[in-house]
Amino acid sequence: MINFIASLLILLIPLLIGSATAVFFWKHGWAARLALFICTALISLHTHAYYFPAKPLKDRYATIVLK
């Protein structure tokens, strides 16, 4: 039971923080929305590079597009 609660917290806390951050930025105009988009893109690229260090992102998208 404790593992279930801990797993739930590990999943829900980042979701709550992310959604609160997105709502905050979304309410502050187009410049904040652009900053949110740029930060999200950079975090996504960094995460991809961390998990797939030997495979560049453009090669992955190229194989998907060519299918």
Side-chain angles (χ1 to χ4, degrees):
M1 185 66 178
I2 195 79
N3 287 339
F4 176 73
I5 294 171
S7 298
L8 198 61
L9 287 175
I10 288 171
L11 290 174
L12 288 180
I13 289 175
L15 285 174
L16 291 174
I17 292 172
S19 62
T21 304
V23 168
F24 175 79
F25 274 97
W26 199 261
K27 287 183 179 180
H28 284 82
W30 66 270
R33 292 177 192 162
L34 181 64
L36 178 66
F37 175 75
I38 290 170
C39 289
T40 305
L42 289 175
I43 290 170
S44 299
L45 288 172
H46 179 73
T47 303
H48 181 273
Y50 180 76
Y51 282 113
F52 306 105
K55 191 165 189 177
L57 191 60
K58 65 179 181 176
D59 294 341
R60 186 176 172 96
Y61 284 133
T63 56
I64 291 172
V65 170
L66 291 175
K67 284 185 179 182

Short mmCIF file of all heavy atoms in Angstrom, two decimals:
data_model
loop_
_atom_site.label_atom_id
_atom_site.label_comp_id
_atom_site.label_asym_id
_atom_site.label_seq_id
_atom_site.Cartn_x
_atom_site.Cartn_y
_atom_site.Cartn_z
N MET A 1 0.82 -1.20 0.00
CA MET A 1 0.00 0.00 0.00
C MET A 1 0.87 1.27 0.00
O MET A 1 0.55 2.23 -0.67
CB MET A 1 -0.92 -0.05 1.23
CG MET A 1 -1.89 1.07 1.26
SD MET A 1 -3.04 0.90 -0.09
CE MET A 1 -4.10 2.25 0.20
N ILE A 2 1.94 1.22 0.77
CA ILE A 2 2.83 2.38 0.82
C ILE A 2 3.51 2.61 -0.52
O ILE A 2 3.75 3.75 -0.92
CB ILE A 2 3.85 2.25 1.98
CG1 ILE A 2 4.53 3.59 2.26
CG2 ILE A 2 4.89 1.22 1.68
CD1 ILE A 2 3.70 4.52 3.05
N ASN A 3 3.82 1.52 -1.24
CA ASN A 3 4.41 1.65 -2.57
C ASN A 3 3.44 2.30 -3.54
O ASN A 3 3.85 3.10 -4.39
CB ASN A 3 4.84 0.28 -3.10
CG ASN A 3 6.07 -0.23 -2.41
OD1 ASN A 3 6.82 0.53 -1.83
ND2 ASN A 3 6.25 -1.54 -2.45
N PHE A 4 2.17 1.96 -3.42
CA PHE A 4 1.16 2.56 -4.29
C PHE A 4 1.04 4.06 -4.04
O PHE A 4 1.00 4.85 -4.99
CB PHE A 4 -0.19 1.87 -4.06
CG PHE A 4 -1.30 2.49 -4.85
CD1 PHE A 4 -1.39 2.31 -6.21
CD2 PHE A 4 -2.26 3.28 -4.21
CE1 PHE A 4 -2.41 2.88 -6.95
CE2 PHE A 4 -3.27 3.86 -4.93
CZ PHE A 4 -3.36 3.66 -6.30
N ILE A 5 1.03 4.44 -2.79
CA ILE A 5 0.92 5.87 -2.45
C ILE A 5 2.17 6.62 -2.91
O ILE A 5 2.08 7.71 -3.46
CB ILE A 5 0.69 6.04 -0.94
CG1 ILE A 5 -0.69 5.47 -0.56
CG2 ILE A 5 0.79 7.49 -0.52
CD1 ILE A 5 -0.94 5.38 0.93
N ALA A 6 3.33 6.02 -2.71
CA ALA A 6 4.57 6.67 -3.15
C ALA A 6 4.61 6.80 -4.67
O ALA A 6 5.00 7.84 -5.20
CB ALA A 6 5.78 5.87 -2.66
N SER A 7 4.18 5.76 -5.37
CA SER A 7 4.14 5.83 -6.83
C SER A 7 3.17 6.89 -7.31
O SER A 7 3.44 7.62 -8.27
CB SER A 7 3.72 4.48 -7.41
OG SER A 7 4.65 3.50 -7.08
N LEU A 8 2.03 6.98 -6.64
CA LEU A 8 1.04 8.00 -7.00
C LEU A 8 1.60 9.40 -6.79
O LEU A 8 1.41 10.28 -7.64
CB LEU A 8 -0.22 7.79 -6.15
CG LEU A 8 -1.49 8.43 -6.63
CD1 LEU A 8 -1.87 7.89 -8.01
CD2 LEU A 8 -2.60 8.16 -5.65
N LEU A 9 2.31 9.61 -5.70
CA LEU A 9 2.92 10.92 -5.45
C LEU A 9 4.00 11.24 -6.47
O LEU A 9 4.11 12.38 -6.93
CB LEU A 9 3.50 10.98 -4.03
CG LEU A 9 2.48 11.06 -2.90
CD1 LEU A 9 3.19 10.99 -1.56
CD2 LEU A 9 1.66 12.33 -3.00
N ILE A 10 4.80 10.23 -6.83
CA ILE A 10 5.86 10.45 -7.81
C ILE A 10 5.27 10.84 -9.16
O ILE A 10 5.84 11.64 -9.90
CB ILE A 10 6.75 9.19 -7.92
CG1 ILE A 10 7.60 9.05 -6.67
CG2 ILE A 10 7.62 9.24 -9.16
CD1 ILE A 10 8.35 7.74 -6.57
N LEU A 11 4.10 10.30 -9.50
CA LEU A 11 3.46 10.65 -10.76
C LEU A 11 2.69 11.95 -10.70
O LEU A 11 2.68 12.73 -11.66
CB LEU A 11 2.52 9.52 -11.18
CG LEU A 11 3.17 8.22 -11.62
CD1 LEU A 11 2.12 7.17 -11.85
CD2 LEU A 11 4.00 8.44 -12.85
N LEU A 12 2.00 12.21 -9.59
CA LEU A 12 1.10 13.36 -9.53
C LEU A 12 1.80 14.69 -9.23
O LEU A 12 1.39 15.72 -9.75
CB LEU A 12 0.01 13.12 -8.48
CG LEU A 12 -1.03 12.08 -8.87
CD1 LEU A 12 -2.06 11.93 -7.76
CD2 LEU A 12 -1.71 12.45 -10.17
N ILE A 13 2.83 14.67 -8.41
CA ILE A 13 3.48 15.94 -8.05
C ILE A 13 4.08 16.64 -9.26
O ILE A 13 3.84 17.84 -9.46
CB ILE A 13 4.51 15.71 -6.92
CG1 ILE A 13 3.76 15.43 -5.63
CG2 ILE A 13 5.43 16.91 -6.76
CD1 ILE A 13 4.65 15.08 -4.45
N PRO A 14 4.83 15.95 -10.15
CA PRO A 14 5.31 16.66 -11.35
C PRO A 14 4.17 17.13 -12.26
O PRO A 14 4.28 18.21 -12.87
CB PRO A 14 6.18 15.63 -12.06
CG PRO A 14 6.58 14.68 -11.01
CD PRO A 14 5.44 14.63 -10.05
N LEU A 15 3.10 16.35 -12.34
CA LEU A 15 1.96 16.78 -13.16
C LEU A 15 1.32 18.04 -12.60
O LEU A 15 0.97 18.96 -13.35
CB LEU A 15 0.92 15.67 -13.26
CG LEU A 15 1.27 14.52 -14.18
CD1 LEU A 15 0.22 13.42 -14.07
CD2 LEU A 15 1.39 14.99 -15.60
N LEU A 16 1.15 18.10 -11.29
CA LEU A 16 0.57 19.29 -10.67
C LEU A 16 1.47 20.51 -10.83
O LEU A 16 1.00 21.61 -11.13
CB LEU A 16 0.28 19.03 -9.19
CG LEU A 16 -0.84 18.04 -8.90
CD1 LEU A 16 -0.92 17.75 -7.41
CD2 LEU A 16 -2.16 18.56 -9.43
N ILE A 17 2.76 20.33 -10.63
CA ILE A 17 3.70 21.44 -10.79
C ILE A 17 3.73 21.91 -12.25
O ILE A 17 3.71 23.11 -12.53
CB ILE A 17 5.11 21.04 -10.31
CG1 ILE A 17 5.10 20.85 -8.80
CG2 ILE A 17 6.14 22.08 -10.71
CD1 ILE A 17 6.38 20.27 -8.25
N GLY A 18 3.76 20.96 -13.18
CA GLY A 18 3.77 21.31 -14.60
C GLY A 18 2.51 22.02 -15.03
O GLY A 18 2.56 23.01 -15.77
N SER A 19 1.36 21.54 -14.58
CA SER A 19 0.11 22.20 -14.98
C SER A 19 -0.02 23.58 -14.35
O SER A 19 -0.49 24.52 -14.99
CB SER A 19 -1.09 21.33 -14.62
OG SER A 19 -1.15 21.13 -13.23
N ALA A 20 0.42 23.73 -13.10
CA ALA A 20 0.38 25.05 -12.47
C ALA A 20 1.31 26.02 -13.18
O ALA A 20 0.97 27.19 -13.39
CB ALA A 20 0.76 24.93 -11.00
N THR A 21 2.48 25.54 -13.60
CA THR A 21 3.42 26.39 -14.34
C THR A 21 2.84 26.78 -15.69
O THR A 21 2.94 27.94 -16.10
CB THR A 21 4.76 25.65 -14.53
OG1 THR A 21 5.25 25.27 -13.24
CG2 THR A 21 5.77 26.52 -15.23
N ALA A 22 2.23 25.82 -16.39
CA ALA A 22 1.65 26.12 -17.70
C ALA A 22 0.51 27.13 -17.57
O ALA A 22 0.42 28.06 -18.39
CB ALA A 22 1.15 24.83 -18.34
N VAL A 23 -0.34 26.97 -16.58
CA VAL A 23 -1.44 27.92 -16.39
C VAL A 23 -0.89 29.30 -16.05
O VAL A 23 -1.38 30.32 -16.56
CB VAL A 23 -2.40 27.41 -15.29
CG1 VAL A 23 -3.37 28.49 -14.85
CG2 VAL A 23 -3.15 26.19 -15.78
N PHE A 24 0.12 29.36 -15.20
CA PHE A 24 0.72 30.64 -14.83
C PHE A 24 1.27 31.36 -16.05
O PHE A 24 1.02 32.55 -16.27
CB PHE A 24 1.83 30.42 -13.80
CG PHE A 24 2.58 31.67 -13.46
CD1 PHE A 24 2.05 32.59 -12.58
CD2 PHE A 24 3.83 31.92 -14.01
CE1 PHE A 24 2.74 33.74 -12.25
CE2 PHE A 24 4.52 33.07 -13.70
CZ PHE A 24 3.98 33.98 -12.81
N PHE A 25 2.05 30.64 -16.87
CA PHE A 25 2.63 31.25 -18.06
C PHE A 25 1.55 31.63 -19.07
O PHE A 25 1.65 32.65 -19.74
CB PHE A 25 3.65 30.31 -18.71
CG PHE A 25 5.03 30.41 -18.13
CD1 PHE A 25 5.44 29.53 -17.16
CD2 PHE A 25 5.90 31.39 -18.55
CE1 PHE A 25 6.71 29.61 -16.62
CE2 PHE A 25 7.16 31.49 -18.02
CZ PHE A 25 7.57 30.60 -17.05
N TRP A 26 0.52 30.80 -19.21
CA TRP A 26 -0.52 31.04 -20.21
C TRP A 26 -1.30 32.30 -19.89
O TRP A 26 -1.74 33.02 -20.79
CB TRP A 26 -1.45 29.83 -20.29
CG TRP A 26 -2.22 29.81 -21.55
CD1 TRP A 26 -3.50 30.21 -21.75
CD2 TRP A 26 -1.75 29.36 -22.83
NE1 TRP A 26 -3.86 30.05 -23.05
CE2 TRP A 26 -2.82 29.53 -23.73
CE3 TRP A 26 -0.55 28.83 -23.29
CZ2 TRP A 26 -2.70 29.18 -25.07
CZ3 TRP A 26 -0.44 28.49 -24.60
CH2 TRP A 26 -1.50 28.66 -25.48
N LYS A 27 -1.44 32.64 -18.63
CA LYS A 27 -2.20 33.83 -18.23
C LYS A 27 -1.41 35.13 -18.40
O LYS A 27 -1.99 36.21 -18.32
CB LYS A 27 -2.63 33.72 -16.77
CG LYS A 27 -3.72 32.72 -16.54
CD LYS A 27 -4.14 32.69 -15.10
CE LYS A 27 -5.25 31.70 -14.87
NZ LYS A 27 -5.67 31.67 -13.47
N HIS A 28 -0.10 35.03 -18.66
CA HIS A 28 0.73 36.24 -18.71
C HIS A 28 1.09 36.69 -20.12
O HIS A 28 2.10 37.36 -20.33
CB HIS A 28 1.99 36.03 -17.88
CG HIS A 28 1.73 36.14 -16.42
ND1 HIS A 28 1.22 35.10 -15.69
CD2 HIS A 28 1.86 37.17 -15.56
CE1 HIS A 28 1.07 35.49 -14.44
NE2 HIS A 28 1.46 36.75 -14.34
N GLY A 29 0.28 36.34 -21.10
CA GLY A 29 0.45 36.90 -22.43
C GLY A 29 1.31 36.08 -23.37
O GLY A 29 1.79 35.00 -23.05
N TRP A 30 1.48 36.65 -24.55
CA TRP A 30 2.14 35.90 -25.62
C TRP A 30 3.62 35.68 -25.39
O TRP A 30 4.18 34.66 -25.77
CB TRP A 30 1.92 36.60 -26.97
CG TRP A 30 2.58 37.93 -27.06
CD1 TRP A 30 2.06 39.13 -26.72
CD2 TRP A 30 3.92 38.18 -27.51
NE1 TRP A 30 2.98 40.13 -26.92
CE2 TRP A 30 4.12 39.57 -27.41
CE3 TRP A 30 4.94 37.39 -27.98
CZ2 TRP A 30 5.32 40.17 -27.76
CZ3 TRP A 30 6.14 37.98 -28.33
CH2 TRP A 30 6.32 39.35 -28.22
N ALA A 31 4.29 36.64 -24.72
CA ALA A 31 5.73 36.47 -24.47
C ALA A 31 5.98 35.32 -23.49
O ALA A 31 6.92 34.53 -23.66
CB ALA A 31 6.32 37.76 -23.91
N ALA A 32 5.13 35.20 -22.50
CA ALA A 32 5.26 34.10 -21.54
C ALA A 32 4.93 32.77 -22.21
O ALA A 32 5.54 31.75 -21.92
CB ALA A 32 4.35 34.33 -20.34
N ARG A 33 3.95 32.77 -23.12
CA ARG A 33 3.62 31.55 -23.86
C ARG A 33 4.79 31.12 -24.74
O ARG A 33 5.10 29.94 -24.84
CB ARG A 33 2.39 31.77 -24.72
CG ARG A 33 1.14 31.94 -23.91
CD ARG A 33 -0.05 32.24 -24.77
NE ARG A 33 -1.15 32.68 -23.94
CZ ARG A 33 -2.19 33.32 -24.39
NH1 ARG A 33 -2.30 33.59 -25.67
NH2 ARG A 33 -3.14 33.69 -23.55
N LEU A 34 5.44 32.08 -25.36
CA LEU A 34 6.62 31.78 -26.17
C LEU A 34 7.74 31.23 -25.30
O LEU A 34 8.40 30.25 -25.67
CB LEU A 34 7.08 33.04 -26.92
CG LEU A 34 8.28 32.88 -27.83
CD1 LEU A 34 7.95 31.92 -28.97
CD2 LEU A 34 8.70 34.23 -28.38
N ALA A 35 7.95 31.82 -24.13
CA ALA A 35 8.98 31.32 -23.20
C ALA A 35 8.64 29.91 -22.73
O ALA A 35 9.54 29.05 -22.63
CB ALA A 35 9.10 32.26 -22.01
N LEU A 36 7.38 29.64 -22.48
CA LEU A 36 6.95 28.30 -22.08
C LEU A 36 7.21 27.29 -23.18
O LEU A 36 7.72 26.19 -22.93
CB LEU A 36 5.47 28.30 -21.70
CG LEU A 36 4.86 26.97 -21.31
CD1 LEU A 36 5.48 26.46 -20.02
CD2 LEU A 36 3.36 27.11 -21.15
N PHE A 37 6.91 27.67 -24.41
CA PHE A 37 7.16 26.77 -25.55
C PHE A 37 8.64 26.49 -25.72
O PHE A 37 9.05 25.35 -25.93
CB PHE A 37 6.57 27.38 -26.83
CG PHE A 37 6.88 26.58 -28.05
CD1 PHE A 37 6.21 25.40 -28.31
CD2 PHE A 37 7.84 27.00 -28.95
CE1 PHE A 37 6.50 24.65 -29.43
CE2 PHE A 37 8.15 26.27 -30.07
CZ PHE A 37 7.46 25.08 -30.32
N ILE A 38 9.46 27.53 -25.63
CA ILE A 38 10.91 27.36 -25.79
C ILE A 38 11.48 26.48 -24.68
O ILE A 38 12.27 25.57 -24.94
CB ILE A 38 11.61 28.73 -25.85
CG1 ILE A 38 11.25 29.44 -27.16
CG2 ILE A 38 13.11 28.60 -25.72
CD1 ILE A 38 11.69 30.88 -27.22
N CYS A 39 11.06 26.73 -23.46
CA CYS A 39 11.55 25.91 -22.34
C CYS A 39 11.13 24.46 -22.48
O CYS A 39 11.92 23.54 -22.24
CB CYS A 39 11.05 26.47 -21.01
SG CYS A 39 11.82 28.01 -20.54
N THR A 40 9.89 24.23 -22.90
CA THR A 40 9.40 22.87 -23.09
C THR A 40 10.18 22.17 -24.21
O THR A 40 10.54 20.99 -24.08
CB THR A 40 7.90 22.88 -23.42
OG1 THR A 40 7.21 23.58 -22.39
CG2 THR A 40 7.35 21.48 -23.53
N ALA A 41 10.45 22.88 -25.29
CA ALA A 41 11.21 22.29 -26.39
C ALA A 41 12.64 21.95 -25.96
O ALA A 41 13.15 20.87 -26.28
CB ALA A 41 11.23 23.25 -27.58
N LEU A 42 13.27 22.84 -25.21
CA LEU A 42 14.64 22.58 -24.76
C LEU A 42 14.69 21.40 -23.78
O LEU A 42 15.61 20.58 -23.84
CB LEU A 42 15.23 23.83 -24.13
CG LEU A 42 15.55 24.96 -25.12
CD1 LEU A 42 16.03 26.20 -24.37
CD2 LEU A 42 16.58 24.52 -26.13
N ILE A 43 13.71 21.32 -22.89
CA ILE A 43 13.67 20.19 -21.95
C ILE A 43 13.44 18.89 -22.71
O ILE A 43 14.07 17.87 -22.40
CB ILE A 43 12.57 20.42 -20.89
CG1 ILE A 43 13.00 21.54 -19.94
CG2 ILE A 43 12.28 19.14 -20.11
CD1 ILE A 43 11.90 22.01 -19.01
N SER A 44 12.58 18.91 -23.72
CA SER A 44 12.34 17.71 -24.52
C SER A 44 13.59 17.28 -25.27
O SER A 44 13.92 16.08 -25.31
CB SER A 44 11.21 17.96 -25.52
OG SER A 44 10.03 18.29 -24.85
N LEU A 45 14.29 18.22 -25.87
CA LEU A 45 15.53 17.88 -26.58
C LEU A 45 16.60 17.34 -25.64
O LEU A 45 17.30 16.38 -25.97
CB LEU A 45 16.06 19.11 -27.32
CG LEU A 45 15.26 19.54 -28.55
CD1 LEU A 45 15.79 20.87 -29.07
CD2 LEU A 45 15.32 18.48 -29.62
N HIS A 46 16.70 17.94 -24.47
CA HIS A 46 17.68 17.48 -23.51
C HIS A 46 17.35 16.07 -23.01
O HIS A 46 18.23 15.22 -22.87
CB HIS A 46 17.76 18.44 -22.32
CG HIS A 46 18.73 18.03 -21.28
ND1 HIS A 46 20.08 18.12 -21.45
CD2 HIS A 46 18.54 17.50 -20.05
CE1 HIS A 46 20.69 17.68 -20.37
NE2 HIS A 46 19.78 17.29 -19.50
N THR A 47 16.06 15.81 -22.76
CA THR A 47 15.64 14.49 -22.30
C THR A 47 15.90 13.45 -23.38
O THR A 47 16.37 12.34 -23.08
CB THR A 47 14.15 14.51 -21.93
OG1 THR A 47 13.94 15.52 -20.94
CG2 THR A 47 13.70 13.17 -21.40
N HIS A 48 15.62 13.79 -24.63
CA HIS A 48 15.87 12.85 -25.72
C HIS A 48 17.36 12.55 -25.84
O HIS A 48 17.77 11.41 -26.02
CB HIS A 48 15.33 13.40 -27.04
CG HIS A 48 15.55 12.48 -28.18
ND1 HIS A 48 16.71 12.47 -28.92
CD2 HIS A 48 14.76 11.51 -28.70
CE1 HIS A 48 16.62 11.54 -29.84
NE2 HIS A 48 15.45 10.94 -29.73
N ALA A 49 18.18 13.59 -25.74
CA ALA A 49 19.63 13.39 -25.83
C ALA A 49 20.15 12.55 -24.66
O ALA A 49 21.11 11.79 -24.81
CB ALA A 49 20.34 14.73 -25.87
N TYR A 50 19.52 12.65 -23.51
CA TYR A 50 19.94 11.87 -22.35
C TYR A 50 19.59 10.39 -22.52
O TYR A 50 20.38 9.52 -22.23
CB TYR A 50 19.28 12.43 -21.09
CG TYR A 50 19.64 11.69 -19.83
CD1 TYR A 50 20.87 11.88 -19.24
CD2 TYR A 50 18.74 10.82 -19.24
CE1 TYR A 50 21.22 11.20 -18.09
CE2 TYR A 50 19.06 10.14 -18.09
CZ TYR A 50 20.30 10.33 -17.51
OH TYR A 50 20.63 9.65 -16.38
N TYR A 51 18.37 10.12 -23.00
CA TYR A 51 17.93 8.73 -23.12
C TYR A 51 18.45 8.04 -24.38
O TYR A 51 18.60 6.83 -24.40
CB TYR A 51 16.40 8.65 -23.10
CG TYR A 51 15.84 8.77 -21.71
CD1 TYR A 51 15.09 9.87 -21.35
CD2 TYR A 51 16.06 7.78 -20.77
CE1 TYR A 51 14.57 9.99 -20.07
CE2 TYR A 51 15.56 7.89 -19.50
CZ TYR A 51 14.80 8.99 -19.15
OH TYR A 51 14.30 9.10 -17.88
N PHE A 52 18.69 8.79 -25.44
CA PHE A 52 19.18 8.21 -26.70
C PHE A 52 20.44 8.96 -27.14
O PHE A 52 20.42 9.71 -28.11
CB PHE A 52 18.11 8.32 -27.79
CG PHE A 52 16.79 7.73 -27.41
CD1 PHE A 52 15.73 8.54 -27.09
CD2 PHE A 52 16.62 6.36 -27.37
CE1 PHE A 52 14.50 7.99 -26.74
CE2 PHE A 52 15.41 5.80 -27.02
CZ PHE A 52 14.35 6.63 -26.70
N PRO A 53 21.57 8.76 -26.45
CA PRO A 53 22.76 9.56 -26.77
C PRO A 53 23.38 9.24 -28.13
O PRO A 53 24.01 10.10 -28.72
CB PRO A 53 23.73 9.20 -25.64
CG PRO A 53 23.27 7.88 -25.15
CD PRO A 53 21.79 7.84 -25.36
N ALA A 54 23.17 8.03 -28.64
CA ALA A 54 23.82 7.66 -29.89
C ALA A 54 22.96 7.94 -31.11
O ALA A 54 23.42 7.79 -32.24
CB ALA A 54 24.18 6.17 -29.87
N LYS A 55 21.73 8.36 -30.91
CA LYS A 55 20.83 8.56 -32.05
C LYS A 55 20.33 10.00 -32.07
O LYS A 55 19.52 10.38 -31.23
CB LYS A 55 19.66 7.59 -31.96
CG LYS A 55 18.84 7.55 -33.21
CD LYS A 55 17.95 6.34 -33.21
CE LYS A 55 17.33 6.20 -34.58
NZ LYS A 55 16.51 5.03 -34.69
N PRO A 56 20.76 10.81 -33.02
CA PRO A 56 20.28 12.19 -33.10
C PRO A 56 18.78 12.26 -33.36
O PRO A 56 18.20 11.37 -33.98
CB PRO A 56 21.07 12.78 -34.27
CG PRO A 56 22.23 11.88 -34.47
CD PRO A 56 21.79 10.53 -34.01
N LEU A 57 18.19 13.32 -32.91
CA LEU A 57 16.75 13.50 -33.03
C LEU A 57 16.31 13.59 -34.48
O LEU A 57 15.27 13.04 -34.85
CB LEU A 57 16.34 14.77 -32.28
CG LEU A 57 14.86 15.00 -32.06
CD1 LEU A 57 14.27 13.86 -31.26
CD2 LEU A 57 14.63 16.31 -31.33
N LYS A 58 17.09 14.22 -35.34
CA LYS A 58 16.69 14.37 -36.74
C LYS A 58 16.64 13.02 -37.44
O LYS A 58 15.78 12.80 -38.29
CB LYS A 58 17.61 15.33 -37.48
CG LYS A 58 19.02 14.87 -37.61
CD LYS A 58 19.86 15.86 -38.38
CE LYS A 58 21.27 15.33 -38.49
NZ LYS A 58 22.12 16.17 -39.27
N ASP A 59 17.53 12.09 -37.09
CA ASP A 59 17.48 10.75 -37.70
C ASP A 59 16.23 10.00 -37.27
O ASP A 59 15.61 9.30 -38.06
CB ASP A 59 18.72 9.94 -37.31
CG ASP A 59 19.98 10.54 -37.89
OD1 ASP A 59 19.88 11.31 -38.85
OD2 ASP A 59 21.07 10.22 -37.36
N ARG A 60 15.87 10.16 -36.03
CA ARG A 60 14.65 9.49 -35.52
C ARG A 60 13.41 10.00 -36.25
O ARG A 60 12.56 9.23 -36.67
CB ARG A 60 14.56 9.72 -34.02
CG ARG A 60 13.44 8.98 -33.36
CD ARG A 60 13.54 9.23 -31.85
NE ARG A 60 12.40 8.72 -31.16
CZ ARG A 60 12.38 7.54 -30.57
NH1 ARG A 60 13.42 6.76 -30.60
NH2 ARG A 60 11.29 7.14 -29.94
N TYR A 61 13.29 11.32 -36.40
CA TYR A 61 12.15 11.89 -37.11
C TYR A 61 12.18 11.55 -38.60
O TYR A 61 11.13 11.36 -39.20
CB TYR A 61 12.06 13.39 -36.89
CG TYR A 61 11.53 13.78 -35.54
CD1 TYR A 61 12.16 14.74 -34.78
CD2 TYR A 61 10.41 13.16 -35.02
CE1 TYR A 61 11.68 15.08 -33.53
CE2 TYR A 61 9.92 13.50 -33.77
CZ TYR A 61 10.56 14.46 -33.04
OH TYR A 61 10.08 14.79 -31.80
N ALA A 62 13.35 11.47 -39.16
CA ALA A 62 13.45 11.15 -40.59
C ALA A 62 12.94 9.74 -40.85
O ALA A 62 12.23 9.50 -41.84
CB ALA A 62 14.89 11.28 -41.06
N THR A 63 13.25 8.79 -39.99
CA THR A 63 12.75 7.43 -40.20
C THR A 63 11.25 7.37 -40.01
O THR A 63 10.56 6.59 -40.70
CB THR A 63 13.43 6.45 -39.23
OG1 THR A 63 13.23 6.88 -37.90
CG2 THR A 63 14.91 6.34 -39.52
N ILE A 64 10.70 8.16 -39.11
CA ILE A 64 9.25 8.18 -38.92
C ILE A 64 8.56 8.78 -40.13
O ILE A 64 7.54 8.28 -40.61
CB ILE A 64 8.89 8.95 -37.64
CG1 ILE A 64 9.35 8.17 -36.41
CG2 ILE A 64 7.39 9.22 -37.55
CD1 ILE A 64 9.22 8.91 -35.11
N VAL A 65 9.10 9.86 -40.66
CA VAL A 65 8.49 10.53 -41.81
C VAL A 65 8.56 9.67 -43.06
O VAL A 65 7.64 9.64 -43.88
CB VAL A 65 9.17 11.91 -42.05
CG1 VAL A 65 8.74 12.52 -43.35
CG2 VAL A 65 8.87 12.84 -40.90
N LEU A 66 9.65 8.92 -43.23
CA LEU A 66 9.83 8.12 -44.43
C LEU A 66 8.98 6.84 -44.44
O LEU A 66 8.88 6.20 -45.47
CB LEU A 66 11.31 7.76 -44.60
CG LEU A 66 12.21 8.95 -44.96
CD1 LEU A 66 13.66 8.51 -44.98
CD2 LEU A 66 11.81 9.55 -46.28
N LYS A 67 8.39 6.48 -43.31
CA LYS A 67 7.58 5.26 -43.28
C LYS A 67 6.28 5.39 -44.02
O LYS A 67 5.66 6.28 -44.23
CB LYS A 67 7.28 4.87 -41.83
CG LYS A 67 8.47 4.25 -41.17
CD LYS A 67 8.11 3.77 -39.80
CE LYS A 67 9.32 3.12 -39.16
NZ LYS A 67 9.03 2.61 -37.86
#
